[in-house]
Amino acid sequence: MKKNLFLSGALLLNAFAIFAQDDLTKPQTTEVWEPQPKIVTPADNNAPPSDAIVLFDGKGFNEWETLKNKAVEWALKDGAMTVVGGKGNIKTKKTFGDCQLHVEWRSPIESDTLKGQMKGNSGVFFQQRYEVQVLNNYQNKTYANGQATAIYKQHIPLANACRKPMEWQTYDIVFTAPRFRKNGSLERPAYITVLHNGIITQNHVELQGATEYIGTPQYKMHGNGAIELQDHGNAVSFRNIWIREL
Ligand code: MG
């Protein structure tokens, strides 16, 4: 009886395989028509595409606030914002999950006595926890997992694509937020992809947890979060910041 069941099962599978094989001779069988991707109109020169949320267009800090929800006190000049050391990190008023972020930044010219992490340090944090490092690594050596586009202390960049100080640079970052179960345990880690000046430096790397300066990263359950820019005491500038929710 068991053998018969096995045989009829095998015959059925075989018949299905022949049917499917027949179907696969037609190109139409593997075409998918619905749903159609939404239409997004691209823009030239890194300008925001049609469905982007503009976070900074050079005119003001209306999308930003301090970590204590107060008015931003960074400098605003010539379409750029610049860190004023001691005024603290700033964050977006809106919060985000999975997203594509475009941000342009510029290292200041600083004294040669400043080295390593002391040179043009800032950072782009996703959900106020996961840092993509901003650093002047043009002829400036530091620990590899702490240089520009490092997932700070977690992932070394695939390349050093830094331009000189006072030259504008682009980050295009795809962030996939972590997922948590109801009991707070991690269901799926966060992932990040980074293009620095058009060069891929992080290829869908898995994050080990929230960025830590000291010690090992860990995940703690959270929901959507703001984009945060770091005040590390260096006069790093930012411009043309936009985001697409995914
Ligand atoms: Mg930093």
PDB file of all heavy atoms in Angstrom, residues 46 102 104-109 119-120 134-140 148-149 159-172 195-199 239:
ATOM      1  N   ASN A  46      21.968  65.069  -8.773  1.00  0.00           N
ATOM      2  CA  ASN A  46      21.648  64.620  -7.416  1.00  0.00           C
ATOM      3  C   ASN A  46      20.482  65.368  -6.765  1.00  0.00           C
ATOM      4  O   ASN A  46      20.308  65.306  -5.559  1.00  0.00           O
ATOM      5  CB  ASN A  46      22.867  64.713  -6.493  1.00  0.00           C
ATOM      6  CG  ASN A  46      23.967  63.771  -6.914  1.00  0.00           C
ATOM      7  OD1 ASN A  46      23.707  62.627  -7.286  1.00  0.00           O
ATOM      8  ND2 ASN A  46      25.203  64.238  -6.882  1.00  0.00           N
ATOM      9  N   HIS A 102      20.153  60.389   0.554  1.00  0.00           N
ATOM     10  CA  HIS A 102      21.230  61.086  -0.162  1.00  0.00           C
ATOM     11  C   HIS A 102      21.683  62.248   0.715  1.00  0.00           C
ATOM     12  O   HIS A 102      20.870  63.046   1.176  1.00  0.00           O
ATOM     13  CB  HIS A 102      20.741  61.611  -1.518  1.00  0.00           C
ATOM     14  CG  HIS A 102      21.776  62.434  -2.227  1.00  0.00           C
ATOM     15  ND1 HIS A 102      22.725  61.883  -3.057  1.00  0.00           N
ATOM     16  CD2 HIS A 102      22.030  63.770  -2.200  1.00  0.00           C
ATOM     17  CE1 HIS A 102      23.514  62.838  -3.520  1.00  0.00           C
ATOM     18  NE2 HIS A 102      23.111  63.993  -3.017  1.00  0.00           N
ATOM     19  N   GLU A 104      25.101  65.155   1.083  1.00  0.00           N
ATOM     20  CA  GLU A 104      26.392  65.658   0.608  1.00  0.00           C
ATOM     21  C   GLU A 104      27.095  66.336   1.780  1.00  0.00           C
ATOM     22  O   GLU A 104      26.451  67.008   2.579  1.00  0.00           O
ATOM     23  CB  GLU A 104      26.166  66.637  -0.563  1.00  0.00           C
ATOM     24  CG  GLU A 104      25.496  65.922  -1.722  1.00  0.00           C
ATOM     25  CD  GLU A 104      25.147  66.823  -2.904  1.00  0.00           C
ATOM     26  OE1 GLU A 104      25.718  67.922  -3.021  1.00  0.00           O
ATOM     27  OE2 GLU A 104      24.298  66.408  -3.705  1.00  0.00           O
ATOM     28  N   TRP A 105      28.394  66.114   1.861  1.00  0.00           N
ATOM     29  CA  TRP A 105      29.155  66.685   2.985  1.00  0.00           C
ATOM     30  C   TRP A 105      30.517  67.156   2.523  1.00  0.00           C
ATOM     31  O   TRP A 105      31.003  66.767   1.457  1.00  0.00           O
ATOM     32  CB  TRP A 105      29.283  65.668   4.128  1.00  0.00           C
ATOM     33  CG  TRP A 105      29.952  64.370   3.782  1.00  0.00           C
ATOM     34  CD1 TRP A 105      29.352  63.264   3.257  1.00  0.00           C
ATOM     35  CD2 TRP A 105      31.328  64.027   3.933  1.00  0.00           C
ATOM     36  NE1 TRP A 105      30.281  62.266   3.078  1.00  0.00           N
ATOM     37  CE2 TRP A 105      31.491  62.698   3.493  1.00  0.00           C
ATOM     38  CE3 TRP A 105      32.461  64.711   4.417  1.00  0.00           C
ATOM     39  CZ2 TRP A 105      32.730  62.049   3.496  1.00  0.00           C
ATOM     40  CZ3 TRP A 105      33.688  64.066   4.426  1.00  0.00           C
ATOM     41  CH2 TRP A 105      33.811  62.745   3.981  1.00  0.00           C
ATOM     42  N   ARG A 106      31.133  67.986   3.359  1.00  0.00           N
ATOM     43  CA  ARG A 106      32.414  68.608   3.008  1.00  0.00           C
ATOM     44  C   ARG A 106      33.257  68.733   4.273  1.00  0.00           C
ATOM     45  O   ARG A 106      32.779  69.247   5.291  1.00  0.00           O
ATOM     46  CB  ARG A 106      32.136  69.992   2.421  1.00  0.00           C
ATOM     47  CG  ARG A 106      33.335  70.683   1.825  1.00  0.00           C
ATOM     48  CD  ARG A 106      32.953  72.071   1.327  1.00  0.00           C
ATOM     49  NE  ARG A 106      32.483  72.916   2.421  1.00  0.00           N
ATOM     50  CZ  ARG A 106      31.927  74.109   2.251  1.00  0.00           C
ATOM     51  NH1 ARG A 106      31.726  74.618   1.058  1.00  0.00           N
ATOM     52  NH2 ARG A 106      31.544  74.818   3.296  1.00  0.00           N
ATOM     53  N   SER A 107      34.496  68.249   4.169  1.00  0.00           N
ATOM     54  CA  SER A 107      35.425  68.385   5.301  1.00  0.00           C
ATOM     55  C   SER A 107      36.004  69.792   5.288  1.00  0.00           C
ATOM     56  O   SER A 107      36.299  70.331   4.225  1.00  0.00           O
ATOM     57  CB  SER A 107      36.592  67.410   5.174  1.00  0.00           C
ATOM     58  OG  SER A 107      36.136  66.099   4.972  1.00  0.00           O
ATOM     59  N   PRO A 108      36.221  70.361   6.473  1.00  0.00           N
ATOM     60  CA  PRO A 108      36.898  71.669   6.526  1.00  0.00           C
ATOM     61  C   PRO A 108      38.407  71.480   6.372  1.00  0.00           C
ATOM     62  O   PRO A 108      38.909  70.364   6.513  1.00  0.00           O
ATOM     63  CB  PRO A 108      36.568  72.153   7.939  1.00  0.00           C
ATOM     64  CG  PRO A 108      36.425  70.899   8.740  1.00  0.00           C
ATOM     65  CD  PRO A 108      35.880  69.847   7.812  1.00  0.00           C
ATOM     66  N   ILE A 109      39.108  72.561   6.064  1.00  0.00           N
ATOM     67  CA  ILE A 109      40.574  72.517   6.110  1.00  0.00           C
ATOM     68  C   ILE A 109      40.961  72.747   7.568  1.00  0.00           C
ATOM     69  O   ILE A 109      40.512  73.717   8.187  1.00  0.00           O
ATOM     70  CB  ILE A 109      41.182  73.600   5.185  1.00  0.00           C
ATOM     71  CG1 ILE A 109      40.912  73.198   3.724  1.00  0.00           C
ATOM     72  CG2 ILE A 109      42.683  73.745   5.446  1.00  0.00           C
ATOM     73  CD1 ILE A 109      41.257  74.260   2.706  1.00  0.00           C
ATOM     74  N   LYS A 119      39.974  64.563  12.668  1.00  0.00           N
ATOM     75  CA  LYS A 119      39.940  65.346  11.430  1.00  0.00           C
ATOM     76  C   LYS A 119      38.607  65.206  10.701  1.00  0.00           C
ATOM     77  O   LYS A 119      38.293  64.143  10.165  1.00  0.00           O
ATOM     78  CB  LYS A 119      41.079  64.889  10.523  1.00  0.00           C
ATOM     79  CG  LYS A 119      41.679  66.009   9.726  1.00  0.00           C
ATOM     80  CD  LYS A 119      43.083  65.694   9.264  1.00  0.00           C
ATOM     81  CE  LYS A 119      43.766  66.966   8.846  1.00  0.00           C
ATOM     82  NZ  LYS A 119      45.165  66.801   8.548  1.00  0.00           N
ATOM     83  N   GLY A 120      37.854  66.268  10.676  1.00  0.00           N
ATOM     84  CA  GLY A 120      36.600  66.278   9.912  1.00  0.00           C
ATOM     85  C   GLY A 120      35.649  65.169  10.314  1.00  0.00           C
ATOM     86  O   GLY A 120      34.993  64.555   9.478  1.00  0.00           O
ATOM     87  N   VAL A 134      31.386  59.730   9.012  1.00  0.00           N
ATOM     88  CA  VAL A 134      31.855  60.830   8.158  1.00  0.00           C
ATOM     89  C   VAL A 134      33.198  61.259   8.735  1.00  0.00           C
ATOM     90  O   VAL A 134      33.288  61.550   9.939  1.00  0.00           O
ATOM     91  CB  VAL A 134      30.862  62.011   8.170  1.00  0.00           C
ATOM     92  CG1 VAL A 134      31.462  63.237   7.498  1.00  0.00           C
ATOM     93  CG2 VAL A 134      29.550  61.614   7.496  1.00  0.00           C
ATOM     94  N   LEU A 135      34.235  61.233   7.914  1.00  0.00           N
ATOM     95  CA  LEU A 135      35.575  61.579   8.398  1.00  0.00           C
ATOM     96  C   LEU A 135      36.414  62.053   7.228  1.00  0.00           C
ATOM     97  O   LEU A 135      36.230  61.578   6.099  1.00  0.00           O
ATOM     98  CB  LEU A 135      36.227  60.341   9.039  1.00  0.00           C
ATOM     99  CG  LEU A 135      37.457  60.585   9.919  1.00  0.00           C
ATOM    100  CD1 LEU A 135      37.065  61.241  11.246  1.00  0.00           C
ATOM    101  CD2 LEU A 135      38.182  59.268  10.222  1.00  0.00           C
ATOM    102  N   ASN A 136      37.331  62.971   7.489  1.00  0.00           N
ATOM    103  CA  ASN A 136      38.269  63.379   6.444  1.00  0.00           C
ATOM    104  C   ASN A 136      39.393  62.348   6.377  1.00  0.00           C
ATOM    105  O   ASN A 136      40.347  62.404   7.153  1.00  0.00           O
ATOM    106  CB  ASN A 136      38.828  64.775   6.741  1.00  0.00           C
ATOM    107  CG  ASN A 136      39.949  65.138   5.781  1.00  0.00           C
ATOM    108  OD1 ASN A 136      40.173  64.453   4.781  1.00  0.00           O
ATOM    109  ND2 ASN A 136      40.647  66.205   6.094  1.00  0.00           N
ATOM    110  N   ASN A 137      39.244  61.388   5.464  1.00  0.00           N
ATOM    111  CA  ASN A 137      40.273  60.359   5.294  1.00  0.00           C
ATOM    112  C   ASN A 137      41.099  60.574   4.039  1.00  0.00           C
ATOM    113  O   ASN A 137      41.696  59.642   3.508  1.00  0.00           O
ATOM    114  CB  ASN A 137      39.649  58.959   5.268  1.00  0.00           C
ATOM    115  CG  ASN A 137      39.329  58.480   6.658  1.00  0.00           C
ATOM    116  OD1 ASN A 137      38.160  58.305   7.004  1.00  0.00           O
ATOM    117  ND2 ASN A 137      40.349  58.312   7.477  1.00  0.00           N
ATOM    118  N   TYR A 138      41.118  61.817   3.566  1.00  0.00           N
ATOM    119  CA  TYR A 138      42.019  62.132   2.448  1.00  0.00           C
ATOM    120  C   TYR A 138      43.428  62.269   3.019  1.00  0.00           C
ATOM    121  O   TYR A 138      43.717  63.225   3.741  1.00  0.00           O
ATOM    122  CB  TYR A 138      41.566  63.409   1.736  1.00  0.00           C
ATOM    123  CG  TYR A 138      42.417  63.713   0.534  1.00  0.00           C
ATOM    124  CD1 TYR A 138      42.189  63.068  -0.678  1.00  0.00           C
ATOM    125  CD2 TYR A 138      43.469  64.619   0.616  1.00  0.00           C
ATOM    126  CE1 TYR A 138      42.991  63.323  -1.783  1.00  0.00           C
ATOM    127  CE2 TYR A 138      44.270  64.870  -0.483  1.00  0.00           C
ATOM    128  CZ  TYR A 138      44.026  64.221  -1.678  1.00  0.00           C
ATOM    129  OH  TYR A 138      44.822  64.474  -2.759  1.00  0.00           O
ATOM    130  N   GLN A 139      44.268  61.303   2.736  1.00  0.00           N
ATOM    131  CA  GLN A 139      45.639  61.266   3.274  1.00  0.00           C
ATOM    132  C   GLN A 139      45.647  61.402   4.793  1.00  0.00           C
ATOM    133  O   GLN A 139      46.475  62.100   5.374  1.00  0.00           O
ATOM    134  CB  GLN A 139      46.488  62.356   2.615  1.00  0.00           C
ATOM    135  CG  GLN A 139      46.573  62.147   1.096  1.00  0.00           C
ATOM    136  CD  GLN A 139      47.337  63.252   0.380  1.00  0.00           C
ATOM    137  OE1 GLN A 139      47.596  64.315   0.916  1.00  0.00           O
ATOM    138  NE2 GLN A 139      47.702  62.982  -0.871  1.00  0.00           N
ATOM    139  N   ASN A 140      44.698  60.758   5.413  1.00  0.00           N
ATOM    140  CA  ASN A 140      44.618  60.772   6.877  1.00  0.00           C
ATOM    141  C   ASN A 140      44.226  59.377   7.344  1.00  0.00           C
ATOM    142  O   ASN A 140      43.105  58.934   7.133  1.00  0.00           O
ATOM    143  CB  ASN A 140      43.573  61.795   7.334  1.00  0.00           C
ATOM    144  CG  ASN A 140      43.380  61.770   8.843  1.00  0.00           C
ATOM    145  OD1 ASN A 140      44.340  61.649   9.603  1.00  0.00           O
ATOM    146  ND2 ASN A 140      42.132  61.847   9.277  1.00  0.00           N
ATOM    147  N   ALA A 148      35.914  56.965   6.852  1.00  0.00           N
ATOM    148  CA  ALA A 148      34.713  57.431   6.160  1.00  0.00           C
ATOM    149  C   ALA A 148      33.971  56.261   5.512  1.00  0.00           C
ATOM    150  O   ALA A 148      34.585  55.430   4.847  1.00  0.00           O
ATOM    151  CB  ALA A 148      35.084  58.467   5.098  1.00  0.00           C
ATOM    152  N   THR A 149      32.690  56.229   5.719  1.00  0.00           N
ATOM    153  CA  THR A 149      31.720  55.190   5.303  1.00  0.00           C
ATOM    154  C   THR A 149      31.869  53.872   6.052  1.00  0.00           C
ATOM    155  O   THR A 149      31.175  52.906   5.740  1.00  0.00           O
ATOM    156  CB  THR A 149      31.647  54.883   3.781  1.00  0.00           C
ATOM    157  OG1 THR A 149      32.750  54.066   3.408  1.00  0.00           O
ATOM    158  CG2 THR A 149      31.529  56.096   2.925  1.00  0.00           C
ATOM    159  N   ALA A 159      36.475  50.538   0.012  1.00  0.00           N
ATOM    160  CA  ALA A 159      37.414  51.452  -0.643  1.00  0.00           C
ATOM    161  C   ALA A 159      37.453  52.760   0.137  1.00  0.00           C
ATOM    162  O   ALA A 159      36.521  53.061   0.888  1.00  0.00           O
ATOM    163  CB  ALA A 159      36.969  51.732  -2.084  1.00  0.00           C
ATOM    164  N   ASN A 160      38.534  53.494  -0.044  1.00  0.00           N
ATOM    165  CA  ASN A 160      38.627  54.854   0.487  1.00  0.00           C
ATOM    166  C   ASN A 160      38.406  55.796  -0.697  1.00  0.00           C
ATOM    167  O   ASN A 160      39.286  55.958  -1.532  1.00  0.00           O
ATOM    168  CB  ASN A 160      39.996  55.096   1.126  1.00  0.00           C
ATOM    169  CG  ASN A 160      40.158  56.524   1.644  1.00  0.00           C
ATOM    170  OD1 ASN A 160      39.354  57.405   1.331  1.00  0.00           O
ATOM    171  ND2 ASN A 160      41.194  56.752   2.427  1.00  0.00           N
ATOM    172  N   ALA A 161      37.210  56.348  -0.784  1.00  0.00           N
ATOM    173  CA  ALA A 161      36.835  57.178  -1.941  1.00  0.00           C
ATOM    174  C   ALA A 161      36.806  58.662  -1.586  1.00  0.00           C
ATOM    175  O   ALA A 161      36.124  59.452  -2.241  1.00  0.00           O
ATOM    176  CB  ALA A 161      35.471  56.727  -2.469  1.00  0.00           C
ATOM    177  N   CYS A 162      37.554  59.037  -0.560  1.00  0.00           N
ATOM    178  CA  CYS A 162      37.511  60.419  -0.059  1.00  0.00           C
ATOM    179  C   CYS A 162      38.086  61.437  -1.033  1.00  0.00           C
ATOM    180  O   CYS A 162      39.128  61.221  -1.636  1.00  0.00           O
ATOM    181  CB  CYS A 162      38.290  60.525   1.254  1.00  0.00           C
ATOM    182  SG  CYS A 162      37.266  60.140   2.673  1.00  0.00           S
ATOM    183  N   ARG A 163      37.377  62.543  -1.133  1.00  0.00           N
ATOM    184  CA  ARG A 163      37.910  63.702  -1.832  1.00  0.00           C
ATOM    185  C   ARG A 163      38.624  64.599  -0.814  1.00  0.00           C
ATOM    186  O   ARG A 163      38.510  64.411   0.394  1.00  0.00           O
ATOM    187  CB  ARG A 163      36.767  64.499  -2.471  1.00  0.00           C
ATOM    188  CG  ARG A 163      36.025  63.774  -3.581  1.00  0.00           C
ATOM    189  CD  ARG A 163      35.109  64.786  -4.282  1.00  0.00           C
ATOM    190  NE  ARG A 163      33.993  64.140  -4.948  1.00  0.00           N
ATOM    191  CZ  ARG A 163      34.049  63.628  -6.173  1.00  0.00           C
ATOM    192  NH1 ARG A 163      35.181  63.637  -6.844  1.00  0.00           N
ATOM    193  NH2 ARG A 163      32.978  63.084  -6.724  1.00  0.00           N
ATOM    194  N   LYS A 164      39.316  65.609  -1.344  1.00  0.00           N
ATOM    195  CA  LYS A 164      40.063  66.545  -0.498  1.00  0.00           C
ATOM    196  C   LYS A 164      39.111  67.389   0.357  1.00  0.00           C
ATOM    197  O   LYS A 164      37.950  67.571  -0.005  1.00  0.00           O
ATOM    198  CB  LYS A 164      40.873  67.508  -1.382  1.00  0.00           C
ATOM    199  CG  LYS A 164      41.987  66.849  -2.148  1.00  0.00           C
ATOM    200  CD  LYS A 164      42.648  67.876  -3.066  1.00  0.00           C
ATOM    201  CE  LYS A 164      43.667  67.183  -3.946  1.00  0.00           C
ATOM    202  NZ  LYS A 164      44.174  68.045  -5.003  1.00  0.00           N
ATOM    203  N   PRO A 165      39.639  67.964   1.434  1.00  0.00           N
ATOM    204  CA  PRO A 165      38.850  68.927   2.201  1.00  0.00           C
ATOM    205  C   PRO A 165      38.357  70.055   1.291  1.00  0.00           C
ATOM    206  O   PRO A 165      39.029  70.408   0.317  1.00  0.00           O
ATOM    207  CB  PRO A 165      39.843  69.467   3.240  1.00  0.00           C
ATOM    208  CG  PRO A 165      40.880  68.415   3.366  1.00  0.00           C
ATOM    209  CD  PRO A 165      40.958  67.722   2.028  1.00  0.00           C
ATOM    210  N   MET A 166      37.194  70.578   1.636  1.00  0.00           N
ATOM    211  CA  MET A 166      36.531  71.674   0.909  1.00  0.00           C
ATOM    212  C   MET A 166      35.951  71.240  -0.446  1.00  0.00           C
ATOM    213  O   MET A 166      35.406  72.072  -1.170  1.00  0.00           O
ATOM    214  CB  MET A 166      37.437  72.905   0.726  1.00  0.00           C
ATOM    215  CG  MET A 166      37.800  73.594   2.041  1.00  0.00           C
ATOM    216  SD  MET A 166      36.382  73.916   3.130  1.00  0.00           S
ATOM    217  CE  MET A 166      35.569  75.271   2.275  1.00  0.00           C
ATOM    218  N   GLU A 167      36.064  69.945  -0.779  1.00  0.00           N
ATOM    219  CA  GLU A 167      35.359  69.437  -1.969  1.00  0.00           C
ATOM    220  C   GLU A 167      34.113  68.689  -1.493  1.00  0.00           C
ATOM    221  O   GLU A 167      34.188  67.900  -0.554  1.00  0.00           O
ATOM    222  CB  GLU A 167      36.271  68.485  -2.763  1.00  0.00           C
ATOM    223  CG  GLU A 167      37.423  69.198  -3.444  1.00  0.00           C
ATOM    224  CD  GLU A 167      38.270  68.261  -4.301  1.00  0.00           C
ATOM    225  OE1 GLU A 167      37.844  67.112  -4.541  1.00  0.00           O
ATOM    226  OE2 GLU A 167      39.364  68.691  -4.708  1.00  0.00           O
ATOM    227  N   TRP A 168      33.000  68.936  -2.161  1.00  0.00           N
ATOM    228  CA  TRP A 168      31.756  68.257  -1.777  1.00  0.00           C
ATOM    229  C   TRP A 168      31.813  66.775  -2.138  1.00  0.00           C
ATOM    230  O   TRP A 168      32.330  66.401  -3.183  1.00  0.00           O
ATOM    231  CB  TRP A 168      30.553  68.930  -2.442  1.00  0.00           C
ATOM    232  CG  TRP A 168      30.200  70.207  -1.757  1.00  0.00           C
ATOM    233  CD1 TRP A 168      30.486  71.477  -2.190  1.00  0.00           C
ATOM    234  CD2 TRP A 168      29.527  70.363  -0.507  1.00  0.00           C
ATOM    235  NE1 TRP A 168      30.028  72.403  -1.288  1.00  0.00           N
ATOM    236  CE2 TRP A 168      29.439  71.756  -0.243  1.00  0.00           C
ATOM    237  CE3 TRP A 168      28.987  69.471   0.433  1.00  0.00           C
ATOM    238  CZ2 TRP A 168      28.832  72.255   0.908  1.00  0.00           C
ATOM    239  CZ3 TRP A 168      28.393  69.978   1.575  1.00  0.00           C
ATOM    240  CH2 TRP A 168      28.310  71.357   1.809  1.00  0.00           C
ATOM    241  N   GLN A 169      31.265  65.967  -1.259  1.00  0.00           N
ATOM    242  CA  GLN A 169      31.242  64.514  -1.444  1.00  0.00           C
ATOM    243  C   GLN A 169      29.812  64.013  -1.254  1.00  0.00           C
ATOM    244  O   GLN A 169      29.021  64.624  -0.550  1.00  0.00           O
ATOM    245  CB  GLN A 169      32.125  63.832  -0.399  1.00  0.00           C
ATOM    246  CG  GLN A 169      33.444  64.538  -0.189  1.00  0.00           C
ATOM    247  CD  GLN A 169      34.516  63.627   0.387  1.00  0.00           C
ATOM    248  OE1 GLN A 169      34.556  62.440   0.079  1.00  0.00           O
ATOM    249  NE2 GLN A 169      35.373  64.169   1.214  1.00  0.00           N
ATOM    250  N   THR A 170      29.503  62.899  -1.885  1.00  0.00           N
ATOM    251  CA  THR A 170      28.139  62.361  -1.768  1.00  0.00           C
ATOM    252  C   THR A 170      28.148  61.016  -1.043  1.00  0.00           C
ATOM    253  O   THR A 170      29.065  60.209  -1.201  1.00  0.00           O
ATOM    254  CB  THR A 170      27.491  62.150  -3.148  1.00  0.00           C
ATOM    255  OG1 THR A 170      28.281  61.214  -3.898  1.00  0.00           O
ATOM    256  CG2 THR A 170      27.374  63.439  -3.936  1.00  0.00           C
ATOM    257  N   TYR A 171      27.117  60.830  -0.256  1.00  0.00           N
ATOM    258  CA  TYR A 171      26.780  59.512   0.282  1.00  0.00           C
ATOM    259  C   TYR A 171      25.399  59.155  -0.262  1.00  0.00           C
ATOM    260  O   TYR A 171      24.465  59.964  -0.146  1.00  0.00           O
ATOM    261  CB  TYR A 171      26.670  59.537   1.813  1.00  0.00           C
ATOM    262  CG  TYR A 171      27.951  59.347   2.584  1.00  0.00           C
ATOM    263  CD1 TYR A 171      29.186  59.237   1.954  1.00  0.00           C
ATOM    264  CD2 TYR A 171      27.919  59.299   3.981  1.00  0.00           C
ATOM    265  CE1 TYR A 171      30.350  59.075   2.690  1.00  0.00           C
ATOM    266  CE2 TYR A 171      29.078  59.139   4.720  1.00  0.00           C
ATOM    267  CZ  TYR A 171      30.293  59.038   4.076  1.00  0.00           C
ATOM    268  OH  TYR A 171      31.435  58.885   4.819  1.00  0.00           O
ATOM    269  N   ASP A 172      25.278  57.961  -0.822  1.00  0.00           N
ATOM    270  CA  ASP A 172      23.956  57.415  -1.153  1.00  0.00           C
ATOM    271  C   ASP A 172      23.850  56.114  -0.390  1.00  0.00           C
ATOM    272  O   ASP A 172      24.627  55.176  -0.623  1.00  0.00           O
ATOM    273  CB  ASP A 172      23.812  57.239  -2.662  1.00  0.00           C
ATOM    274  CG  ASP A 172      23.658  58.582  -3.356  1.00  0.00           C
ATOM    275  OD1 ASP A 172      22.539  59.129  -3.321  1.00  0.00           O
ATOM    276  OD2 ASP A 172      24.659  59.107  -3.881  1.00  0.00           O
ATOM    277  N   LEU A 195      27.158  54.037  -1.141  1.00  0.00           N
ATOM    278  CA  LEU A 195      27.982  54.505  -2.250  1.00  0.00           C
ATOM    279  C   LEU A 195      28.581  55.843  -1.851  1.00  0.00           C
ATOM    280  O   LEU A 195      27.850  56.758  -1.449  1.00  0.00           O
ATOM    281  CB  LEU A 195      27.176  54.658  -3.538  1.00  0.00           C
ATOM    282  CG  LEU A 195      26.861  53.327  -4.228  1.00  0.00           C
ATOM    283  CD1 LEU A 195      25.502  52.824  -3.823  1.00  0.00           C
ATOM    284  CD2 LEU A 195      26.932  53.479  -5.731  1.00  0.00           C
ATOM    285  N   HIS A 196      29.898  55.940  -1.927  1.00  0.00           N
ATOM    286  CA  HIS A 196      30.611  57.161  -1.561  1.00  0.00           C
ATOM    287  C   HIS A 196      31.170  57.757  -2.847  1.00  0.00           C
ATOM    288  O   HIS A 196      32.006  57.132  -3.501  1.00  0.00           O
ATOM    289  CB  HIS A 196      31.737  56.801  -0.577  1.00  0.00           C
ATOM    290  CG  HIS A 196      32.522  57.983  -0.077  1.00  0.00           C
ATOM    291  ND1 HIS A 196      33.657  57.847   0.671  1.00  0.00           N
ATOM    292  CD2 HIS A 196      32.312  59.321  -0.218  1.00  0.00           C
ATOM    293  CE1 HIS A 196      34.138  59.059   0.964  1.00  0.00           C
ATOM    294  NE2 HIS A 196      33.338  59.955   0.433  1.00  0.00           N
ATOM    295  N   ASN A 197      30.668  58.922  -3.211  1.00  0.00           N
ATOM    296  CA  ASN A 197      31.047  59.546  -4.487  1.00  0.00           C
ATOM    297  C   ASN A 197      30.838  58.572  -5.644  1.00  0.00           C
ATOM    298  O   ASN A 197      31.642  58.501  -6.580  1.00  0.00           O
ATOM    299  CB  ASN A 197      32.498  60.038  -4.427  1.00  0.00           C
ATOM    300  CG  ASN A 197      32.684  61.102  -3.357  1.00  0.00           C
ATOM    301  OD1 ASN A 197      31.800  61.935  -3.142  1.00  0.00           O
ATOM    302  ND2 ASN A 197      33.807  61.062  -2.659  1.00  0.00           N
ATOM    303  N   GLY A 198      29.761  57.787  -5.558  1.00  0.00           N
ATOM    304  CA  GLY A 198      29.398  56.849  -6.623  1.00  0.00           C
ATOM    305  C   GLY A 198      30.107  55.505  -6.548  1.00  0.00           C
ATOM    306  O   GLY A 198      29.843  54.619  -7.368  1.00  0.00           O
ATOM    307  N   ILE A 199      30.990  55.334  -5.561  1.00  0.00           N
ATOM    308  CA  ILE A 199      31.763  54.090  -5.435  1.00  0.00           C
ATOM    309  C   ILE A 199      31.208  53.275  -4.269  1.00  0.00           C
ATOM    310  O   ILE A 199      31.050  53.818  -3.154  1.00  0.00           O
ATOM    311  CB  ILE A 199      33.256  54.426  -5.207  1.00  0.00           C
ATOM    312  CG1 ILE A 199      33.816  55.101  -6.464  1.00  0.00           C
ATOM    313  CG2 ILE A 199      34.068  53.201  -4.819  1.00  0.00           C
ATOM    314  CD1 ILE A 199      35.007  55.964  -6.216  1.00  0.00           C
ATOM    315  N   ARG A 239      24.865  69.466   2.776  1.00  0.00           N
ATOM    316  CA  ARG A 239      23.889  70.119   1.893  1.00  0.00           C
ATOM    317  C   ARG A 239      23.103  69.035   1.142  1.00  0.00           C
ATOM    318  O   ARG A 239      23.466  67.842   1.190  1.00  0.00           O
ATOM    319  CB  ARG A 239      24.579  71.056   0.899  1.00  0.00           C
ATOM    320  CG  ARG A 239      25.342  70.318  -0.192  1.00  0.00           C
ATOM    321  CD  ARG A 239      25.922  71.262  -1.237  1.00  0.00           C
ATOM    322  NE  ARG A 239      26.521  70.490  -2.323  1.00  0.00           N
ATOM    323  CZ  ARG A 239      27.268  71.013  -3.281  1.00  0.00           C
ATOM    324  NH1 ARG A 239      27.504  72.304  -3.304  1.00  0.00           N
ATOM    325  NH2 ARG A 239      27.758  70.241  -4.225  1.00  0.00           N
TER     326      ARG A 239
END
